[in-house]
Amino acid sequence: MKIDAVNHPRHSSSPQTEPVPSSEAVDRRTLPATIADRLREMIIEGELAADTRLNERALCDRLQVSRTPLREAFRLLAADGLVRIQPNRGAHVVALSEKDIRESFEVMGALEALSGELACQRITDQEIAEIKALTYEMQACHARQNLSSYYHVNRAIHDRINGAGHNDLLSQVYKNINLRLQNLRFRSNLNHDKWDRAMQEHLDMADALASRDGPRLAQIMREHLRRKGEAVLENLKLATDGAEASQTTGVPDTPDVADAASEP
């Protein structure tokens, strides 16, 4: 799905989501997976916020699909940990607690570091060239301040480094944990100083990978995720404090964790 966003999705007056291809274009057996992919992007990019109830009628109209494949897509997302389905309450986007966020980033940092170490041992010259090319592409997105495109290339780079470790079990665990964090990893990129630092860290990653310096790459990636987790938790606290203050004073609350600034 092509996404043109630079502005925060929350401020979009009328978000446009292209319909899921009809069953004539997509095999019926794969239609729920196609819908799940579309919903996953809407969750990641904040169009479907944490704890939002997934309105079946509205989503059917928006994606131009029927309820049967939509409900199956909900079940696929529930298996990924992105959606919870409750009897008589329908499906909701999962909201991570402070404990969930802290533990997820701790584990993700270790997985990223291990991916870097293994990649430096096993990566091919072709894989290095591809990651370098993606890094240059991401740098161009950063220069244009194109957050959505930057994020998609960013995600591809992390996935490529993980894949270059050529460890199937690591890739499976990495994917499962990362799905829990995609929304935060995308929607916390509004502080330009931190974004600049993150871009430099990615250039350093590419350099360490090219020289096959496993310890250096592992350290860069571990620190990258540590800072990310700390910033997300700080922003969560600011959002919580703002919400509590608004209940007391009646003043509109501060932006939520997804609006606050962190690094990609």
Side-chain angles (χ1 to χ4, degrees), residues 31-33 35-37 39 68-78:
L31 183 57
I35 298 170
D37 286 343
L39 293 174
T68 297
L70 180 67
R71 289 174 176 173
E72 180 59 30
F74 289 169
R75 286 191 282 271
L76 293 174
L77 293 173

Side-chain angles (χ1 to χ4, degrees), residues 87-252:
N88 303 318
R89 294 193 60 192
H92 291 72
V93 179
V94 167
L96 295 180
S97 68
E98 179 180 339
K99 181 174 181 290
D100 292 332
I101 293 171
R102 179 180 294 105
E103 292 180 349
S104 296
F105 273 103
E106 286 175 351
V107 173
M108 200 64 201
L111 294 176
E112 293 273 19
L114 178 57
S115 296
E117 289 182 356
L118 293 180
C120 286
Q121 296 171 19
R122 303 169 181 175
I123 195 167
T124 65
D125 291 342
Q126 179 63 32
E127 288 171 326
I128 290 176
E130 291 171 355
I131 292 172
K132 275 187 174 181
L134 286 170
T135 301
Y136 296 144
E137 182 179 348
M138 186 171 70
Q139 193 173 21
C141 294
H142 172 261
R144 294 193 300 269
Q145 301 293 290
N146 187 330
L147 176 58
S148 181
S149 294
Y150 176 97
Y151 173 74
H152 282 279
V153 180
N154 180 303
R155 184 167 61 176
I157 290 171
H158 282 273
D159 287 345
R160 293 290 185 94
I161 293 175
N162 175 263
H166 299 285
N167 183 309
D168 291 340
L169 179 58
L170 174 61
S171 293
Q172 179 183 344
V173 175
Y174 175 92
K175 178 181 178 181
N176 291 341
I177 300 296
N178 202 30
L179 282 171
R180 295 162 56 89
L181 301 176
Q182 293 287 12
N183 184 300
L184 297 176
R185 292 182 78 154
F186 171 75
R187 299 187 67 211
S188 57
N189 299 291
L190 303 183
N191 182 290
H192 288 292
D193 289 339
K194 293 182 178 180
W195 192 1
D196 290 346
R197 181 176 64 184
M199 184 64 246
Q200 182 58 53
E201 287 173 348
H202 270 275
L203 293 172
D204 293 340
M205 288 179 201
D207 181 66
L209 193 61
S211 61
R212 291 178 166 81
D213 188 340
R216 180 184 173 215
L217 181 56
Q219 182 65 19
I220 294 170
M221 300 186 79
R222 185 180 289 109
E223 288 298 306
H224 189 68
L225 268 292
R226 181 186 62 79
R227 279 192 291 269
K228 163 69 100 175
E230 289 176 350
V232 169
L233 289 170
E234 179 183 348
N235 296 333
L236 178 62
K237 184 178 185 304
L238 289 173
T240 301
D241 291 346
E244 291 175 352
S246 69
Q247 291 175 359
T248 303
T249 65
V251 177

